[in-house]
Amino acid sequence: MSIKVGYIDIHLPDEAIPIDSFLKSMNFENSYDPYNISNNKFISSIYKIDSNMEEHIFEQLVKKYLLYKRLDGSEIDYLIYTQSDSNENKLSVAYSIQYKLNLSNAQVFSINQGCSGTLIAMKVASALINNRAARRVLILTSCFTQKDSERFIGSTILSDGIGLMEVTGSDGVFQMLDFMGKTNGGINEDNFHLNGNPARIVNIGAKLIKAILKKNSMTLDNIACIVPLNTSKEAWSLYCDALKCTLDKVFLDNIIDGGHMGAVDTIRNLKSIIDKNNLKEGEYIILFGMGFGTSWDVMLLQSV
Amino acid sequence: MSIKVGYIDIHLPDEAIPIDSFLKSMNFENSYDPYNISNNKFISSIYKIDSNMEEHIFEQLVKKYLLYKRLDGSEIDYLIYTQSDSNENKLSVAYSIQYKLNLSNAQVFSINQGCSGTLIAMKVASALINNRAARRVLILTSCFTQKDSERFIGSTILSDGIGLMEVTGSDGVFQMLDFMGKTNGGINEDNFHLNGNPARIVNIGAKLIKAILKKNSMTLDNIACIVPLNTSKEAWSLYCDALKCTLDKVFLDNIIDGGHMGAVDTIRNLKSIIDKNNLKEGEYIILFGMGFGTSWDVMLLQSV
């Protein structure tokens, strides 16, 4: 069966916070060079959302989706909630949306895999649809950081974000052709900066991209672009070295405005690609995600 | 493809805590009758596990499983971690096990649906296997309660527990024949005792059991037993009224020793049924789970 990404939407606040005012508000000590952070990372602004608004924002996104698709909600068979922060379990947010919007046939559960959560949720959704256990699956992905000091992770800065994606057996914007994933539980937040692990992370990710291409008898020449998480241009320079391609092969447009929003990046970037009309019908892209722990996921999509 | 429960194991501490000493340790106020709690619920003991031991215990369970099945670990394609408590995200426990035991091909993610988490993880595992995305999936389910005062939920008492289940396309002990689920986000912990919701909870659950029987052209006469969560005999009296059957149709053996261990109950009860040799080859059972929010899940299994 042909499984598609049927609909994508994203919520960001109207006003971004300029990186300079954000960094000033942090009152860094002298030993820390805040401007180097922003210069190195090419992030000019970040987004903050009041986490108490999460349920309300998802409700508005789902309402808009139902209206656009002319659905009454009973057509949704699963609602998968994907938290990419590591805060307390907030599954009740998804339950509440199911009830308020009367998604009468939607079974609710959550899937987490850190910042690659949307990708693994897409894989699970496609398996459920392929298995005829579902016709439409909604993925609700959010990313919140409670303390500003925790927004600095590894090589990037975290914004808050909220996104929605429909995976369906019927009409859509991207056909999901193949998926591959890899987990290495030995690489995590605690040892990211030790032992040359950033290089290993890039190496494993690049291998996975090569593997999905080989499995589908393709090369990077067949791919219009790689759609990454919005972590940093620096990291993608390393990936491009490993893949023997140039940076313009990678969709990096969203890093400057917002940086990394966990697993919401996947949804945000696909939405931007559609909005910017970047792809012709039939063109292929590779969706790439990485969640600390660490898991890497790649999906081969075709624009339809 | 025929999908099976391939292996089941459970960890409980060697010593249970008698319910009387547990209740005494709680220092209830006079307005509260602790003995009525234990009498009504037929729970004579509970189990507590130091949550810092979780990773070590899972490691031992997985090692024992690999040895029993003569696997080197590379045969596991997914490791699904199912937390049935609502504490902080502990996905790192599963990542660590993947790394320590060199489950080199296992992709790790977590699935949560409260106390019905094992059932939804079984459904997802079967979809992945049916989809040829996996051959073997390990489900690691745990349930911990941090404060003793939080062990009293609704009509039951919570113990800690840890369980492991293999879902596989090859040999197993139960064949997974069908699954149905229902979510009603309007029934949750906050309003469980209001508006007659316990009756609605039983009503929805009983309807789902009837629905899966009807879908498979069966009646309860075709079912050797219903395997519930170990919440309370009282609740199952109500279910039996709704289903027009007697309590002996329900596997309630484990309530007395430990009560409810969240989504671990599903694994514990299947293990007890195997250990007690309760089923003949070819006999059918219905696995029932309910996770606050609320989700109800039923699965039709056949002993093989």
Side-chain angles (χ1 to χ4, degrees):
Chain A
M1 188 193 286
S2 148
I3 314 287
K4 300 196 182 70
V5 175
Y7 178 94
I8 306 172
D9 203 3
I10 177 94
H11 169 88
L12 294 180
D14 294 335
E15 303 252 330
I17 300 165
I19 194 74
D20 286 355
S21 38
F22 171 68
L23 292 171
K24 272 179 200 155
S25 74
M26 295 293 298
N27 295 318
F28 283 119
E29 289 169 26
N30 288 337
S31 60
Y32 208 162
D33 174 4
Y35 293 95
N36 201 28
I37 294 173
S38 57
N39 288 339
N40 278 350
K41 282 163 197 66
F42 305 95
I43 296 172
S44 72
S45 56
I46 71 152
Y47 291 93
K48 288 199 215 178
I49 303 175
D50 175 358
S51 64
N52 292 318
M53 295 299 290
E54 180 177 2
E55 189 176 309
H56 175 73
I57 293 166
F58 270 131
E59 200 183 329
Q60 300 310 313
L61 287 178
V62 177
K63 272 186 186 169
K64 186 178 153 197
Y65 153 75
L66 293 174
L67 206 64
Y68 180 85
K69 283 260 177 169
R70 297 168 189 251
L71 304 173
D72 67 16
S74 64
E75 306 87 348
I76 317 298
D77 294 311
Y78 282 94
L79 192 68
I80 301 179
Y81 178 60
T82 304
Q83 259 181 269
S84 48
D85 42 34
S86 55
N87 296 334
E88 51 174 342
N89 174 348
K90 293 184 291 180
L91 182 54
S92 59
V93 167
Y95 274 122
S96 193
I97 286 156
Q98 190 261 357
Y99 182 69
K100 281 188 186 169
L101 299 180
N102 194 27
L103 311 179
S104 52
N105 294 311
Q107 293 170 58
V108 173
F109 67 100
S110 76
I111 283 185
N112 296 315
Q113 200 191 54
C115 303
S116 54
T118 301
L119 266 152
I120 195 81
M122 288 168 75
K123 171 62 194 169
V124 167
S126 81
L128 290 169
I129 294 171
N130 240 327
N131 224 1
R132 300 190 190 281
R135 297 154 300 168
R136 289 176 205 271
V137 179
L138 271 195
I139 299 171
L140 304 183
T141 303
S142 65
C143 182
F144 287 97
T145 301
Q146 284 174 323
K147 290 182 195 166
D148 278 342
S149 60
E150 289 167 358
R151 294 188 184 276
F152 299 88
I153 59 159
S155 54
T156 191
I157 303 179
L158 276 171
S159 279
D160 302 329
I162 288 183
L164 174 154
M165 179 188 286
E166 179 207 56
V167 179
T168 171
S170 53
D171 289 354
V173 283
F174 294 106
Q175 188 173 348
M176 294 157 67
L177 297 179
D178 202 2
F179 171 89
M180 290 178 81
K182 165 83 186 164
T183 292
N184 180 331
I187 303 180
N188 53 49
E189 288 96 332
D190 297 337
N191 65 16
F192 178 65
H193 286 293
L194 300 171
N195 308 326
N197 276 334
R200 280 181 66 200
I201 285 183
V202 167
N203 188 34
I204 293 172
K207 265 193 188 165
L208 202 61
I209 292 173
K210 286 178 190 168
I212 199 167
L213 287 170
K214 191 173 175 195
K215 188 175 161 208
N216 289 276
S217 308
M218 287 180 168
T219 69
L220 268 184
D221 292 338
N222 302 112
I223 302 297
C225 73
I226 296 170
V227 182
L229 302 185
N230 302 323
T231 50
S232 81
K233 278 197 185 179
E234 288 165 301
W236 280 93
S237 297
L238 297 175
Y239 276 104
C240 287
D241 287 349
L243 292 167
K244 299 190 176 63
C245 67
T246 51
L247 256 190
D248 55 10
K249 197 78 179 180
V250 189
F251 183 81
L252 298 168
D253 297 19
N254 283 332
I255 294 181
I256 189 166
D257 178 34
H260 186 36
M261 298 169 191
V264 178
D265 285 359
T266 302
I267 296 177
R268 185 181 183 208
N269 289 345
L270 286 179
K271 172 99 169 87
S272 298
I273 284 172
I274 294 168
D275 290 348
K276 291 183 176 181
N277 221 348
N278 274 3
L279 288 180
K280 296 192 198 82
E281 195 182 313
E283 284 193 316
Y284 298 97
I285 59 173
I286 284 180
L287 203 52
F288 180 91
M290 198 201 96
F292 262 122
T294 294
S295 288
W296 298 255
D297 297 308
V298 292
M299 191 174 271
L300 180 65
L301 301 175
Q302 186 173 27
S303 178
V304 288
Chain B
M1 188 193 285
S2 149
I3 314 288
K4 300 196 183 70
V5 175
Y7 178 93
I8 306 173
D9 204 2
I10 177 94
H11 169 87
L12 294 180
D14 293 335
E15 304 252 331
I17 300 167
I19 193 75
D20 286 354
S21 40
F22 170 66
L23 291 172
K24 272 178 201 155
S25 75
M26 295 294 298
N27 295 318
F28 284 118
E29 289 170 25
N30 288 338
S31 61
Y32 209 161
D33 174 5
Y35 292 96
N36 200 29
I37 295 173
S38 57
N39 287 338
N40 279 349
K41 284 164 195 62
F42 304 95
I43 296 173
S44 72
S45 57
I46 70 151
Y47 291 92
K48 288 199 215 178
I49 303 174
D50 175 359
S51 64
N52 292 318
M53 294 300 288
E54 180 176 2
E55 188 175 310
H56 175 73
I57 293 167
F58 270 130
E59 199 183 331
Q60 299 310 311
L61 286 179
V62 177
K63 271 186 185 167
K64 186 177 153 200
Y65 153 75
L66 292 174
L67 207 64
Y68 179 86
K69 284 260 175 169
R70 297 167 188 252
L71 304 174
D72 67 16
S74 64
E75 306 87 347
I76 317 297
D77 295 309
Y78 282 93
L79 192 68
I80 301 179
Y81 178 59
T82 304
Q83 258 180 271
S84 47
D85 43 83
S86 54
N87 297 334
E88 51 175 341
N89 174 347
K90 293 183 293 181
L91 182 55
S92 59
V93 167
Y95 274 122
S96 193
I97 286 157
Q98 190 262 356
Y99 182 70
K100 282 188 184 168
L101 298 181
N102 193 27
L103 310 180
S104 52
N105 294 311
Q107 293 171 56
V108 173
F109 67 100
S110 75
I111 283 186
N112 296 315
Q113 199 191 57
C115 302
S116 53
T118 301
L119 266 152
I120 195 82
M122 289 168 75
K123 170 62 194 169
V124 167
S126 80
L128 289 168
I129 294 171
N130 240 328
N131 224 3
R132 301 190 188 281
R135 296 154 300 167
R136 288 175 206 271
V137 178
L138 271 195
I139 298 171
L140 306 183
T141 303
S142 65
C143 181
F144 287 97
T145 301
Q146 283 174 323
K147 292 181 192 163
D148 278 342
S149 61
E150 289 167 359
R151 294 188 184 277
F152 299 88
I153 58 156
S155 54
T156 191
I157 302 179
L158 275 171
S159 279
D160 301 331
I162 287 184
L164 174 154
M165 179 188 286
E166 179 206 55
V167 179
T168 171
S170 53
D171 288 354
V173 282
F174 294 107
Q175 188 172 348
M176 295 159 66
L177 296 180
D178 201 3
F179 170 88
M180 290 177 80
K182 164 83 186 164
T183 292
N184 180 331
I187 303 181
N188 55 49
E189 287 97 331
D190 298 334
N191 65 15
F192 177 64
H193 286 295
L194 300 171
N195 309 326
N197 277 334
R200 281 181 65 198
I201 286 183
V202 167
N203 187 34
I204 293 173
K207 265 193 189 166
L208 201 61
I209 292 173
K210 286 178 190 169
I212 201 168
L213 287 170
K214 192 174 172 191
K215 188 177 162 205
N216 288 276
S217 307
M218 287 182 167
T219 69
L220 268 184
D221 291 340
N222 302 111
I223 303 297
C225 72
I226 297 170
V227 182
L229 303 185
N230 303 323
T231 50
S232 79
K233 279 198 184 177
E234 288 164 303
W236 281 93
S237 297
L238 295 176
Y239 277 104
C240 287
D241 287 348
L243 292 167
K244 297 192 176 62
C245 68
T246 52
L247 256 188
D248 57 9
K249 195 81 182 181
V250 189
F251 183 81
L252 298 168
D253 297 19
N254 283 332
I255 295 181
I256 191 164
D257 178 35
H260 186 37
M261 298 168 191
V264 178
D265 285 358
T266 302
I267 296 176
R268 185 182 183 208
N269 289 345
L270 286 179
K271 172 100 168 88
S272 297
I273 284 172
I274 294 167
D275 290 349
K276 292 183 175 181
N277 221 347
N278 274 3
L279 288 180
K280 296 191 198 82
E281 193 182 315
E283 284 193 314
Y284 297 98
I285 59 172
I286 284 179
L287 203 53
F288 180 92
M290 198 201 94
F292 262 122
T294 293
S295 288
W296 298 254
D297 296 310
V298 292
M299 191 174 268
L300 179 66
L301 300 175
Q302 185 173 26
S303 177
V304 288

